[in-house]
Structures are given as C-alpha cells and as structure tokens.
Amino acid sequence: MHITQLNRECLLHLFSFLDNNSRKSLAKTCHKLLEVFQDPLLWSLLNFHSPAELKKDNFLLGPALKYLSICWYSERVKVCNIEDWMKNNFQKDFCNRHENTVNDFLLEVCNRCPNLLSLTLSGCGHVTDDCILLLLKNCPNLKTLKLENCVRITDRTLEAVTLYGGSLQTLHVDFCRNITQTGLERVREKCPSVTLKAERSANMIPDNKPEKKFMLEKASRKLVQL
C-alpha cells in the first residue's frame, strides 16, 4: 500500500511523529500530504528551541494550538539578559537582530490561537509585560503560564494575571529579576487558587540605571548614619 492510500486519520497520526522540518519536506511530495500538513488538528502542540525557529515556514498557527513552548537555552541567551544600559555596541547589535521576534510571534498567537491552554517561555529576554497582558486577554482559557529568565517581565505581568487570568491554574515566574515580593503577594491574595512558583525572582537584584543605583546607595548611607 502506498502512503497516500491511507486515510486522513492515519496520515495525521504518522505526521505527528515527525518534527516540523520533516513534516514540511514530506508535504512537498504530493497534494494529499500537503493537505495533511495544513490540517489544523496536526498543530495542537508547538515546541521551539530558539527565536530563529519562529521565522521558519514549517508550522501553522490556528485555533487548534493548545500547548506552546519557546525555550532558548543557548549560551547566547546571556547577552539578551544583560541590562540594556550595560550592553556594549556588539551586544546591542546582536540583540537588535531578534529583539521583536518572540513578541511579534506571540502577537500572532494572540490573534490566531484563542484556545491556548499552556505557554512556557524560557530565556526570552525581550518578552514584555504588554505582550503577556495581551495574550492573557486574548487567550481566556490559558491554564498554565511559565516564565523563566524573562528579564523584562515585571509586576505589571503579575497585575495582569489578577485581572485577566481567570482560568489560570499554574503560574511560574522563575529567575525573573524584576519581579518583586510585593507583586507576588498580590497574586497570592487575589488569586489564591493559582499555584504560584517564583524561584529566586524576588531575591534577585532588579535592573536599575546608574542614577537610580546612586540614589539608592545615597539613601542607604543616610539610613546608616541615622
């Protein structure tokens, strides 16, 4: 039996074992397999290991997407997580190449994937509070939100959770250095049913520009003198 003689259900099952690149390559062989590749049912789960993968035309976004993960564990992620005001020109140039990549992709998710249930972002140093807020608004069924080492995430995201995360059951904000203990306590108070985890976040030194650090040090010296 030729593979194209299999019914749609069997073909979808076979495609599910392939990675995105293999799916796209197979889809190029004939119209029937291309139709399977374009079936929304095939794309309920997406895993990406670098922002560059988001630019590849080897997947589909649609209402069937339930689980999304973007985890960048490369050593290069350290560059993006450096405070903006501390980056040298080379580091700034590197970051500028993909600064909006993840945010733009998540905006597409907001518009096309209203049934998203789970989102995991790790090492996405350019993701903003505004982007997460919009996603919470547009994906009302979101049950799991895991953010790890996303340095631009602040208490504004935690506030958005209390306002728009009505379906949220699990919230992780690990190693997000601009999250505060006050923000975490607000979530615990307003969303007691949410399982909250914040490893190291509230204990890390937040981003401050030099003038702000100077003012903090000056205030600290005054307190010591008193």
Side-chain angles (χ1 to χ4, degrees), residues 132-160:
I132 299 300
L133 184 150
L134 191 60
L135 189 135
L136 287 168
K137 283 184 176 181
N138 286 273
C139 301
N141 300 317
L142 193 69
K143 296 183 182 300
T144 300
L145 177 60
K146 296 182 179 180
L147 306 174
E148 177 185 315
N149 207 12
C150 296
V151 297
R152 293 192 179 183
I153 295 302
T154 72
D155 286 357
R156 288 186 59 215
T157 286
L158 300 182
E159 183 65 23

PDB file of all heavy atoms in Angstrom, residues 132-160:
ATOM      1  N   ILE A 132       2.504  39.872  27.293  1.00  0.00           N
ATOM      2  CA  ILE A 132       1.855  38.869  28.141  1.00  0.00           C
ATOM      3  C   ILE A 132       0.445  39.321  28.516  1.00  0.00           C
ATOM      4  O   ILE A 132      -0.499  38.518  28.544  1.00  0.00           O
ATOM      5  CB  ILE A 132       2.685  38.611  29.412  1.00  0.00           C
ATOM      6  CG1 ILE A 132       4.075  38.080  29.044  1.00  0.00           C
ATOM      7  CG2 ILE A 132       1.966  37.621  30.314  1.00  0.00           C
ATOM      8  CD1 ILE A 132       4.067  36.782  28.276  1.00  0.00           C
ATOM      9  N   LEU A 133       0.277  40.603  28.779  1.00  0.00           N
ATOM     10  CA  LEU A 133      -1.050  41.133  29.101  1.00  0.00           C
ATOM     11  C   LEU A 133      -2.018  40.896  27.950  1.00  0.00           C
ATOM     12  O   LEU A 133      -3.155  40.432  28.158  1.00  0.00           O
ATOM     13  CB  LEU A 133      -0.953  42.624  29.413  1.00  0.00           C
ATOM     14  CG  LEU A 133      -2.231  43.335  29.864  1.00  0.00           C
ATOM     15  CD1 LEU A 133      -1.894  44.498  30.796  1.00  0.00           C
ATOM     16  CD2 LEU A 133      -3.026  43.877  28.671  1.00  0.00           C
ATOM     17  N   LEU A 134      -1.586  41.187  26.731  1.00  0.00           N
ATOM     18  CA  LEU A 134      -2.439  40.991  25.566  1.00  0.00           C
ATOM     19  C   LEU A 134      -2.769  39.518  25.373  1.00  0.00           C
ATOM     20  O   LEU A 134      -3.899  39.171  25.012  1.00  0.00           O
ATOM     21  CB  LEU A 134      -1.748  41.551  24.323  1.00  0.00           C
ATOM     22  CG  LEU A 134      -2.600  41.660  23.056  1.00  0.00           C
ATOM     23  CD1 LEU A 134      -3.806  42.571  23.293  1.00  0.00           C
ATOM     24  CD2 LEU A 134      -1.767  42.185  21.893  1.00  0.00           C
ATOM     25  N   LEU A 135      -1.800  38.666  25.636  1.00  0.00           N
ATOM     26  CA  LEU A 135      -2.043  37.236  25.485  1.00  0.00           C
ATOM     27  C   LEU A 135      -3.066  36.732  26.505  1.00  0.00           C
ATOM     28  O   LEU A 135      -3.938  35.925  26.180  1.00  0.00           O
ATOM     29  CB  LEU A 135      -0.728  36.479  25.636  1.00  0.00           C
ATOM     30  CG  LEU A 135      -0.785  34.997  25.279  1.00  0.00           C
ATOM     31  CD1 LEU A 135       0.407  34.614  24.425  1.00  0.00           C
ATOM     32  CD2 LEU A 135      -0.822  34.136  26.535  1.00  0.00           C
ATOM     33  N   LEU A 136      -2.975  37.216  27.735  1.00  0.00           N
ATOM     34  CA  LEU A 136      -3.954  36.825  28.754  1.00  0.00           C
ATOM     35  C   LEU A 136      -5.355  37.278  28.369  1.00  0.00           C
ATOM     36  O   LEU A 136      -6.344  36.577  28.619  1.00  0.00           O
ATOM     37  CB  LEU A 136      -3.559  37.425  30.108  1.00  0.00           C
ATOM     38  CG  LEU A 136      -2.364  36.788  30.815  1.00  0.00           C
ATOM     39  CD1 LEU A 136      -1.904  37.654  31.976  1.00  0.00           C
ATOM     40  CD2 LEU A 136      -2.718  35.386  31.303  1.00  0.00           C
ATOM     41  N   LYS A 137      -5.449  38.452  27.743  1.00  0.00           N
ATOM     42  CA  LYS A 137      -6.749  38.950  27.306  1.00  0.00           C
ATOM     43  C   LYS A 137      -7.339  38.110  26.175  1.00  0.00           C
ATOM     44  O   LYS A 137      -8.536  37.850  26.142  1.00  0.00           O
ATOM     45  CB  LYS A 137      -6.620  40.401  26.842  1.00  0.00           C
ATOM     46  CG  LYS A 137      -6.509  41.433  27.948  1.00  0.00           C
ATOM     47  CD  LYS A 137      -6.499  42.839  27.351  1.00  0.00           C
ATOM     48  CE  LYS A 137      -6.489  43.904  28.421  1.00  0.00           C
ATOM     49  NZ  LYS A 137      -6.500  45.270  27.841  1.00  0.00           N
ATOM     50  N   ASN A 138      -6.484  37.713  25.245  1.00  0.00           N
ATOM     51  CA  ASN A 138      -6.955  37.052  24.027  1.00  0.00           C
ATOM     52  C   ASN A 138      -7.007  35.531  24.133  1.00  0.00           C
ATOM     53  O   ASN A 138      -7.570  34.885  23.252  1.00  0.00           O
ATOM     54  CB  ASN A 138      -6.071  37.449  22.848  1.00  0.00           C
ATOM     55  CG  ASN A 138      -6.314  38.870  22.376  1.00  0.00           C
ATOM     56  OD1 ASN A 138      -7.178  39.143  21.560  1.00  0.00           O
ATOM     57  ND2 ASN A 138      -5.542  39.804  22.916  1.00  0.00           N
ATOM     58  N   CYS A 139      -6.415  34.989  25.162  1.00  0.00           N
ATOM     59  CA  CYS A 139      -6.437  33.535  25.364  1.00  0.00           C
ATOM     60  C   CYS A 139      -7.067  33.255  26.725  1.00  0.00           C
ATOM     61  O   CYS A 139      -6.358  32.909  27.688  1.00  0.00           O
ATOM     62  CB  CYS A 139      -5.033  32.957  25.284  1.00  0.00           C
ATOM     63  SG  CYS A 139      -4.196  33.273  23.717  1.00  0.00           S
ATOM     64  N   PRO A 140      -8.367  33.417  26.834  1.00  0.00           N
ATOM     65  CA  PRO A 140      -9.037  33.334  28.140  1.00  0.00           C
ATOM     66  C   PRO A 140      -9.024  31.949  28.762  1.00  0.00           C
ATOM     67  O   PRO A 140      -9.341  31.806  29.952  1.00  0.00           O
ATOM     68  CB  PRO A 140     -10.470  33.782  27.821  1.00  0.00           C
ATOM     69  CG  PRO A 140     -10.651  33.443  26.367  1.00  0.00           C
ATOM     70  CD  PRO A 140      -9.321  33.686  25.737  1.00  0.00           C
ATOM     71  N   ASN A 141      -8.668  30.916  27.980  1.00  0.00           N
ATOM     72  CA  ASN A 141      -8.648  29.555  28.511  1.00  0.00           C
ATOM     73  C   ASN A 141      -7.276  29.144  29.048  1.00  0.00           C
ATOM     74  O   ASN A 141      -7.101  28.002  29.473  1.00  0.00           O
ATOM     75  CB  ASN A 141      -9.070  28.563  27.423  1.00  0.00           C
ATOM     76  CG  ASN A 141     -10.478  28.837  26.915  1.00  0.00           C
ATOM     77  OD1 ASN A 141     -11.384  29.116  27.700  1.00  0.00           O
ATOM     78  ND2 ASN A 141     -10.660  28.763  25.609  1.00  0.00           N
ATOM     79  N   LEU A 142      -6.322  30.067  29.038  1.00  0.00           N
ATOM     80  CA  LEU A 142      -4.962  29.744  29.464  1.00  0.00           C
ATOM     81  C   LEU A 142      -4.948  29.261  30.912  1.00  0.00           C
ATOM     82  O   LEU A 142      -5.385  29.960  31.814  1.00  0.00           O
ATOM     83  CB  LEU A 142      -4.058  30.967  29.310  1.00  0.00           C
ATOM     84  CG  LEU A 142      -2.559  30.712  29.430  1.00  0.00           C
ATOM     85  CD1 LEU A 142      -2.053  29.902  28.234  1.00  0.00           C
ATOM     86  CD2 LEU A 142      -1.789  32.025  29.521  1.00  0.00           C
ATOM     87  N   LYS A 143      -4.414  28.056  31.107  1.00  0.00           N
ATOM     88  CA  LYS A 143      -4.385  27.461  32.435  1.00  0.00           C
ATOM     89  C   LYS A 143      -2.977  27.453  33.044  1.00  0.00           C
ATOM     90  O   LYS A 143      -2.821  27.479  34.263  1.00  0.00           O
ATOM     91  CB  LYS A 143      -4.910  26.018  32.382  1.00  0.00           C
ATOM     92  CG  LYS A 143      -6.365  25.912  31.963  1.00  0.00           C
ATOM     93  CD  LYS A 143      -6.834  24.478  31.992  1.00  0.00           C
ATOM     94  CE  LYS A 143      -8.280  24.363  31.525  1.00  0.00           C
ATOM     95  NZ  LYS A 143      -9.204  25.127  32.374  1.00  0.00           N
ATOM     96  N   THR A 144      -1.955  27.413  32.177  1.00  0.00           N
ATOM     97  CA  THR A 144      -0.577  27.336  32.657  1.00  0.00           C
ATOM     98  C   THR A 144       0.280  28.395  31.979  1.00  0.00           C
ATOM     99  O   THR A 144       0.321  28.470  30.751  1.00  0.00           O
ATOM    100  CB  THR A 144       0.026  25.941  32.377  1.00  0.00           C
ATOM    101  OG1 THR A 144      -0.757  24.948  33.038  1.00  0.00           O
ATOM    102  CG2 THR A 144       1.460  25.870  32.874  1.00  0.00           C
ATOM    103  N   LEU A 145       0.954  29.213  32.778  1.00  0.00           N
ATOM    104  CA  LEU A 145       1.870  30.226  32.266  1.00  0.00           C
ATOM    105  C   LEU A 145       3.185  30.073  33.028  1.00  0.00           C
ATOM    106  O   LEU A 145       3.250  30.286  34.229  1.00  0.00           O
ATOM    107  CB  LEU A 145       1.306  31.626  32.467  1.00  0.00           C
ATOM    108  CG  LEU A 145       2.205  32.803  32.044  1.00  0.00           C
ATOM    109  CD1 LEU A 145       2.533  32.732  30.557  1.00  0.00           C
ATOM    110  CD2 LEU A 145       1.558  34.140  32.388  1.00  0.00           C
ATOM    111  N   LYS A 146       4.239  29.693  32.300  1.00  0.00           N
ATOM    112  CA  LYS A 146       5.546  29.501  32.914  1.00  0.00           C
ATOM    113  C   LYS A 146       6.563  30.422  32.247  1.00  0.00           C
ATOM    114  O   LYS A 146       6.814  30.313  31.048  1.00  0.00           O
ATOM    115  CB  LYS A 146       5.996  28.040  32.779  1.00  0.00           C
ATOM    116  CG  LYS A 146       5.104  27.058  33.527  1.00  0.00           C
ATOM    117  CD  LYS A 146       5.615  25.628  33.405  1.00  0.00           C
ATOM    118  CE  LYS A 146       4.732  24.660  34.182  1.00  0.00           C
ATOM    119  NZ  LYS A 146       5.228  23.258  34.066  1.00  0.00           N
ATOM    120  N   LEU A 147       7.125  31.326  33.026  1.00  0.00           N
ATOM    121  CA  LEU A 147       8.119  32.281  32.548  1.00  0.00           C
ATOM    122  C   LEU A 147       9.406  32.059  33.332  1.00  0.00           C
ATOM    123  O   LEU A 147       9.402  32.138  34.550  1.00  0.00           O
ATOM    124  CB  LEU A 147       7.620  33.713  32.737  1.00  0.00           C
ATOM    125  CG  LEU A 147       6.250  34.034  32.137  1.00  0.00           C
ATOM    126  CD1 LEU A 147       5.813  35.445  32.534  1.00  0.00           C
ATOM    127  CD2 LEU A 147       6.274  33.897  30.626  1.00  0.00           C
ATOM    128  N   GLU A 148      10.481  31.800  32.619  1.00  0.00           N
ATOM    129  CA  GLU A 148      11.773  31.562  33.270  1.00  0.00           C
ATOM    130  C   GLU A 148      12.850  32.419  32.619  1.00  0.00           C
ATOM    131  O   GLU A 148      13.006  32.427  31.405  1.00  0.00           O
ATOM    132  CB  GLU A 148      12.167  30.085  33.164  1.00  0.00           C
ATOM    133  CG  GLU A 148      13.539  29.777  33.751  1.00  0.00           C
ATOM    134  CD  GLU A 148      13.957  28.340  33.520  1.00  0.00           C
ATOM    135  OE1 GLU A 148      13.117  27.453  33.730  1.00  0.00           O
ATOM    136  OE2 GLU A 148      15.108  28.102  33.119  1.00  0.00           O
ATOM    137  N   ASN A 149      13.562  33.175  33.433  1.00  0.00           N
ATOM    138  CA  ASN A 149      14.652  34.005  32.936  1.00  0.00           C
ATOM    139  C   ASN A 149      14.174  34.962  31.843  1.00  0.00           C
ATOM    140  O   ASN A 149      14.851  35.153  30.827  1.00  0.00           O
ATOM    141  CB  ASN A 149      15.791  33.124  32.415  1.00  0.00           C
ATOM    142  CG  ASN A 149      17.135  33.812  32.495  1.00  0.00           C
ATOM    143  OD1 ASN A 149      17.283  34.848  33.136  1.00  0.00           O
ATOM    144  ND2 ASN A 149      18.124  33.262  31.830  1.00  0.00           N
ATOM    145  N   CYS A 150      13.009  35.543  32.055  1.00  0.00           N
ATOM    146  CA  CYS A 150      12.464  36.563  31.146  1.00  0.00           C
ATOM    147  C   CYS A 150      12.638  37.910  31.858  1.00  0.00           C
ATOM    148  O   CYS A 150      11.784  38.318  32.656  1.00  0.00           O
ATOM    149  CB  CYS A 150      11.003  36.286  30.839  1.00  0.00           C
ATOM    150  SG  CYS A 150      10.724  34.726  29.952  1.00  0.00           S
ATOM    151  N   VAL A 151      13.727  38.589  31.569  1.00  0.00           N
ATOM    152  CA  VAL A 151      14.178  39.681  32.423  1.00  0.00           C
ATOM    153  C   VAL A 151      13.340  40.951  32.321  1.00  0.00           C
ATOM    154  O   VAL A 151      13.416  41.811  33.200  1.00  0.00           O
ATOM    155  CB  VAL A 151      15.653  40.017  32.141  1.00  0.00           C
ATOM    156  CG1 VAL A 151      16.529  38.827  32.469  1.00  0.00           C
ATOM    157  CG2 VAL A 151      15.856  40.443  30.689  1.00  0.00           C
ATOM    158  N   ARG A 152      12.562  41.102  31.260  1.00  0.00           N
ATOM    159  CA  ARG A 152      11.750  42.314  31.129  1.00  0.00           C
ATOM    160  C   ARG A 152      10.375  42.176  31.784  1.00  0.00           C
ATOM    161  O   ARG A 152       9.596  43.127  31.813  1.00  0.00           O
ATOM    162  CB  ARG A 152      11.587  42.684  29.655  1.00  0.00           C
ATOM    163  CG  ARG A 152      12.894  43.119  29.004  1.00  0.00           C
ATOM    164  CD  ARG A 152      12.670  43.761  27.656  1.00  0.00           C
ATOM    165  NE  ARG A 152      13.920  44.185  27.045  1.00  0.00           N
ATOM    166  CZ  ARG A 152      14.012  44.817  25.895  1.00  0.00           C
ATOM    167  NH1 ARG A 152      12.915  45.106  25.202  1.00  0.00           N
ATOM    168  NH2 ARG A 152      15.182  45.168  25.389  1.00  0.00           N
ATOM    169  N   ILE A 153      10.098  40.999  32.290  1.00  0.00           N
ATOM    170  CA  ILE A 153       8.826  40.779  32.974  1.00  0.00           C
ATOM    171  C   ILE A 153       8.884  41.412  34.360  1.00  0.00           C
ATOM    172  O   ILE A 153       9.824  41.188  35.123  1.00  0.00           O
ATOM    173  CB  ILE A 153       8.520  39.277  33.077  1.00  0.00           C
ATOM    174  CG1 ILE A 153       8.316  38.674  31.676  1.00  0.00           C
ATOM    175  CG2 ILE A 153       7.303  39.025  33.943  1.00  0.00           C
ATOM    176  CD1 ILE A 153       7.194  39.331  30.881  1.00  0.00           C
ATOM    177  N   THR A 154       7.856  42.200  34.681  1.00  0.00           N
ATOM    178  CA  THR A 154       7.806  42.900  35.962  1.00  0.00           C
ATOM    179  C   THR A 154       6.486  42.598  36.675  1.00  0.00           C
ATOM    180  O   THR A 154       5.709  41.738  36.244  1.00  0.00           O
ATOM    181  CB  THR A 154       7.926  44.425  35.755  1.00  0.00           C
ATOM    182  OG1 THR A 154       6.704  44.927  35.175  1.00  0.00           O
ATOM    183  CG2 THR A 154       9.092  44.767  34.838  1.00  0.00           C
ATOM    184  N   ASP A 155       6.222  43.347  37.720  1.00  0.00           N
ATOM    185  CA  ASP A 155       4.968  43.178  38.464  1.00  0.00           C
ATOM    186  C   ASP A 155       3.743  43.517  37.617  1.00  0.00           C
ATOM    187  O   ASP A 155       2.620  43.168  37.987  1.00  0.00           O
ATOM    188  CB  ASP A 155       4.975  44.058  39.712  1.00  0.00           C
ATOM    189  CG  ASP A 155       5.889  43.509  40.799  1.00  0.00           C
ATOM    190  OD1 ASP A 155       6.470  42.427  40.598  1.00  0.00           O
ATOM    191  OD2 ASP A 155       6.026  44.163  41.847  1.00  0.00           O
ATOM    192  N   ARG A 156       3.932  44.217  36.498  1.00  0.00           N
ATOM    193  CA  ARG A 156       2.797  44.508  35.616  1.00  0.00           C
ATOM    194  C   ARG A 156       2.196  43.210  35.071  1.00  0.00           C
ATOM    195  O   ARG A 156       0.976  43.117  34.893  1.00  0.00           O
ATOM    196  CB  ARG A 156       3.230  45.399  34.456  1.00  0.00           C
ATOM    197  CG  ARG A 156       3.516  46.848  34.854  1.00  0.00           C
ATOM    198  CD  ARG A 156       3.801  47.691  33.622  1.00  0.00           C
ATOM    199  NE  ARG A 156       2.677  47.656  32.704  1.00  0.00           N
ATOM    200  CZ  ARG A 156       2.807  47.676  31.378  1.00  0.00           C
ATOM    201  NH1 ARG A 156       4.002  47.703  30.824  1.00  0.00           N
ATOM    202  NH2 ARG A 156       1.738  47.663  30.609  1.00  0.00           N
ATOM    203  N   THR A 157       3.033  42.221  34.812  1.00  0.00           N
ATOM    204  CA  THR A 157       2.525  40.921  34.365  1.00  0.00           C
ATOM    205  C   THR A 157       1.732  40.255  35.482  1.00  0.00           C
ATOM    206  O   THR A 157       0.667  39.674  35.245  1.00  0.00           O
ATOM    207  CB  THR A 157       3.684  40.017  33.917  1.00  0.00           C
ATOM    208  OG1 THR A 157       4.174  40.465  32.645  1.00  0.00           O
ATOM    209  CG2 THR A 157       3.240  38.570  33.781  1.00  0.00           C
ATOM    210  N   LEU A 158       2.236  40.361  36.712  1.00  0.00           N
ATOM    211  CA  LEU A 158       1.509  39.779  37.845  1.00  0.00           C
ATOM    212  C   LEU A 158       0.158  40.460  38.036  1.00  0.00           C
ATOM    213  O   LEU A 158      -0.848  39.808  38.339  1.00  0.00           O
ATOM    214  CB  LEU A 158       2.354  39.901  39.122  1.00  0.00           C
ATOM    215  CG  LEU A 158       3.722  39.215  39.096  1.00  0.00           C
ATOM    216  CD1 LEU A 158       4.418  39.385  40.439  1.00  0.00           C
ATOM    217  CD2 LEU A 158       3.579  37.743  38.744  1.00  0.00           C
ATOM    218  N   GLU A 159       0.122  41.779  37.838  1.00  0.00           N
ATOM    219  CA  GLU A 159      -1.145  42.503  37.931  1.00  0.00           C
ATOM    220  C   GLU A 159      -2.106  42.063  36.839  1.00  0.00           C
ATOM    221  O   GLU A 159      -3.313  41.913  37.062  1.00  0.00           O
ATOM    222  CB  GLU A 159      -0.884  44.012  37.835  1.00  0.00           C
ATOM    223  CG  GLU A 159      -2.123  44.877  37.989  1.00  0.00           C
ATOM    224  CD  GLU A 159      -2.757  44.784  39.365  1.00  0.00           C
ATOM    225  OE1 GLU A 159      -2.039  44.420  40.327  1.00  0.00           O
ATOM    226  OE2 GLU A 159      -3.962  45.075  39.480  1.00  0.00           O
ATOM    227  N   ALA A 160      -1.568  41.832  35.623  1.00  0.00           N
ATOM    228  CA  ALA A 160      -2.404  41.359  34.510  1.00  0.00           C
ATOM    229  C   ALA A 160      -2.993  39.991  34.821  1.00  0.00           C
ATOM    230  O   ALA A 160      -4.132  39.699  34.438  1.00  0.00           O
ATOM    231  CB  ALA A 160      -1.577  41.309  33.227  1.00  0.00           C
TER     232      ALA A 160
END
